[in-house]
Amino acid sequence: MVFFGANDACLPGSDSGQHVPLDIYRQNLIDTCQHPTVAAQKPRLILVTPPPVDEYLLEISDAAKGVVGTRRTAEHTKLYADACRQVGKDLGLAVLDLWSIFMEAAGYVPGEPLPGSKKAAPNTVLDGLLSD
């Protein structure tokens, strides 16, 4: 399994230092999957999308850690999930689409604000899926 993106999808300039620009994230997925030492093993690779984020939960968690400002957003994380799915399609690899599984369970309707976004009301289903 190749599971990149949950940390990479931090916002540019956030104090986490974990942000990876989307184009580099995408290329890192490709490079990892096509690396000669990986290919030599002939593995059955499965890409795993980053899960969605809940901005309401993150605000509480970050505040408890003394973090000021927004590190992640639902919309920004969706871009990384979309990129992961596209890399899987381009390379003919299986994709475990955590983002879509969680969002479907949370009742996401395309065209409406993303569950977990501050543009939508808090979503208790998503909260339950994401809480430790």
Side-chain angles (χ1 to χ4, degrees):
M1 288 192 174
V2 179
F3 183 20
F4 295 158
N7 293 324
D8 300 351
C10 286
L11 294 173
S14 71
D15 66 350
S16 72
Q18 296 176 315
H19 171 73
V20 174
L22 188 58
D23 60 333
I24 294 173
Y25 164 75
R26 185 179 192 293
Q27 192 60 52
N28 286 346
L29 283 175
I30 293 167
D31 291 348
T32 298
C33 293
Q34 294 182 333
H35 194 278
T37 58
V38 172
Q41 305 303 314
K42 300 184 190 303
R44 289 184 174 175
L45 295 176
I46 301 170
L47 297 180
V48 182
T49 66
V53 299
D54 186 309
E55 295 172 30
Y56 294 99
L57 291 178
L58 287 175
E59 182 177 58
I60 294 166
S61 173
D62 286 351
K65 298 174 193 170
V67 174
V68 178
T70 303
R71 287 185 173 182
R72 303 170 199 264
T73 66
E75 287 85 2
H76 194 70
T77 301
K78 179 184 183 305
L79 298 174
Y80 286 71
D82 292 345
C84 182
R85 280 191 298 276
Q86 187 61 50
V87 168
K89 181 178 177 183
D90 293 349
L91 298 181
L93 298 174
V95 177
L96 174 55
D97 191 353
L98 289 181
W99 190 92
S100 293
I101 292 167
F102 282 30
M103 294 304 269
E104 181 178 328
Y108 173 57
V109 176
E112 292 184 5
L114 296 173
S117 166
K118 289 280 187 112
K119 296 175 184 173
N123 186 297
T124 56
V125 173
L126 186 60
D127 291 355
L129 293 170
L130 296 174
S131 63
D132 292 336

